[in-house]
Amino acid sequence: MKKRTNIILVIIIGGYFLFNYLAPFNKNHGIEFNSERLKIGIPEISDNLKQIESSDKYEAVWYDENSKNGHFKKIVEYGFFDTKTETDYYENEKLKSTFLWSKYDFRNKSFKYFIEKPNDKLVSATKNGNLKFEKPTIIEELSKKVFEKHISEINEPKNTEFESQFIYLKADKKVKMVLENNAEFLVTGQPTKANFITENIDNQKFMVYGPGIMVNQADKDGFRFTITPIENTLVNEKLEIQVTERIENGENFTHKFLVPVKTKTE
């Protein structure tokens, strides 16, 4: 009986040793794993990310304490024998208290994407009419397409001139054209709602003009303009839309968007 008790005691002590000193057994997902990350599509551990001590032995953390924009943290979570997940965090200095992260699950080989942002509705009403205080932030799961769109906006160059099909950025001023249903083109003769989102621009001195553009007096969806392309006004199958902020005693901020247009028969 005593011998059996000693064996059980040895097993317990051995298990405790394994759990506290040897596990996790595979903890090799540091910089040396970057080549595999490229194959999977996981962000690398860049030079600006420094490994910091974690209170959880099943976790490895890399962090950039100087970052205010972009990829600033990576967490690798280990199981007893192997790696479980790898999570990469991003922030956009233009959006306060807003964070994005992608999470790769090594077990089912899949990504999930999330955003945490301030909650616009801190107080709501219950069915009984009582006030309910909500959490200061909300977390939403995103599609890959929406997540990558957020990341591309973070990575837009600052204090330089940048132009894409629907975004124009110069110094600290930015104009982004958003079409109804996130469309990537217009159709001749078909009205499409549009909005022009600005940053560091005086909207009282901001103008949008071009053929087929009308201002919406009131639109519940928040679209200020309606664009109806007319075929004989197109230039190389594109509609020219000019945006301008009039600046006193200085050069106007101005840009011409060339929006792709398709005909109804296409």
Side-chain angles (χ1 to χ4, degrees):
M1 184 69 179
K2 186 176 179 181
K3 184 178 180 181
R4 184 179 177 183
T5 303
N6 290 338
I7 292 173
I8 294 173
L9 186 61
V10 169
I11 292 173
I12 293 172
I13 293 172
Y16 178 82
F17 177 79
L18 286 171
F19 184 81
N20 286 278
Y21 296 98
L22 297 182
F25 289 93
N26 179 12
K27 204 172 184 180
N28 61 349
H29 279 52
I31 294 176
E32 69 278 1
F33 192 69
N34 274 348
S35 59
E36 292 299 316
R37 287 187 174 94
L38 285 174
K39 296 176 185 177
I40 298 171
I42 303 173
E44 296 179 90
I45 299 176
S46 54
D47 293 337
N48 61 303
L49 292 174
K50 307 300 180 185
Q51 188 166 6
I52 61 176
E53 192 172 332
S54 173
S55 58
D56 187 343
K57 64 172 296 185
Y58 285 87
E59 202 176 68
V61 181
W62 288 263
Y63 185 73
D64 182 358
E65 61 181 8
N66 298 315
S67 175
K68 294 181 180 179
N69 200 61
H71 186 203
F72 74 95
K73 184 166 68 172
K74 177 187 286 289
I75 296 179
V76 177
E77 182 188 6
Y78 295 96
F80 193 80
F81 291 105
D82 215 335
T83 313
K84 292 171 65 178
T85 63
E86 187 161 331
T87 307
D88 292 274
Y89 295 84
Y90 303 81
E91 60 182 333
N92 188 339
E93 61 184 351
K94 297 177 182 178
L95 301 174
K96 292 183 179 180
S97 303
T98 299
F99 300 94
L100 296 152
W101 63 92
S102 62
K103 188 171 187 175
Y104 182 76
D105 190 321
F106 286 93
R107 295 175 177 180
N108 57 32
K109 298 181 180 180
S110 65
F111 283 95
K112 285 189 176 181
Y113 307 94
F114 302 90
I115 185 171
E116 181 179 359
K117 58 186 179 180
N119 190 351
D120 294 332
K121 297 180 180 179
L122 292 177
V123 180
S124 61
T126 65
K127 291 182 179 179
N128 298 326
N130 297 322
L131 292 179
K132 179 182 178 183
F133 293 91
E134 306 288 350
K135 293 181 179 180
T137 61
I138 55 175
I139 295 175
E140 295 177 356
E141 186 170 350
L142 303 175
S143 66
K144 181 180 179 181
K145 182 177 180 181
V146 173
F147 177 81
E148 289 178 343
K149 185 178 180 181
H150 279 290
I151 296 301
S152 67
E153 291 176 354
I154 291 174
N155 293 329
E156 286 174 7
K158 297 177 291 183
N159 299 322
T160 57
E161 187 170 351
F162 171 82
E163 177 184 347
S164 71
Q165 185 168 280
F166 295 128
I167 299 174
Y168 181 65
L169 175 71
K170 186 174 183 181
D172 64 339
K173 295 180 180 292
K174 176 181 175 182
V175 179
K176 180 178 180 181
M177 183 172 64
V178 179
L179 298 180
E180 185 178 5
N181 298 324
N182 291 317
E184 297 180 354
F185 58 87
L186 298 168
V187 178
T188 54
Q190 177 178 303
T192 300
K193 294 178 182 179
N195 204 355
F196 293 82
I197 301 170
T198 63
E199 292 182 14
N200 297 312
I201 289 176
D202 185 348
N203 287 332
Q204 299 298 320
K205 300 178 181 178
F206 183 69
M207 298 182 297
V208 178
Y209 46 94
I213 297 179
M214 294 182 62
V215 178
N216 296 328
Q217 297 300 322
D219 192 294
K220 294 180 181 179
D221 296 328
F223 291 99
R224 290 187 58 208
F225 301 87
T226 297
I227 306 174
T228 308
I230 302 170
E231 191 167 358
N232 61 10
T233 64
L234 303 182
V235 178
N236 296 323
E237 298 182 342
K238 293 184 177 181
L239 179 66
E240 294 185 354
I241 299 176
Q242 186 156 321
V243 294
T244 300
E245 179 196 21
R246 294 194 178 278
I247 300 174
E248 296 179 6
N249 303 320
E251 183 180 353
N252 289 342
F253 172 84
T254 186
H255 177 68
K256 187 179 291 184
F257 287 105
L258 298 175
V259 185
V261 180
K262 295 185 178 183
T263 62
K264 284 187 175 181
T265 57
E266 289 182 1

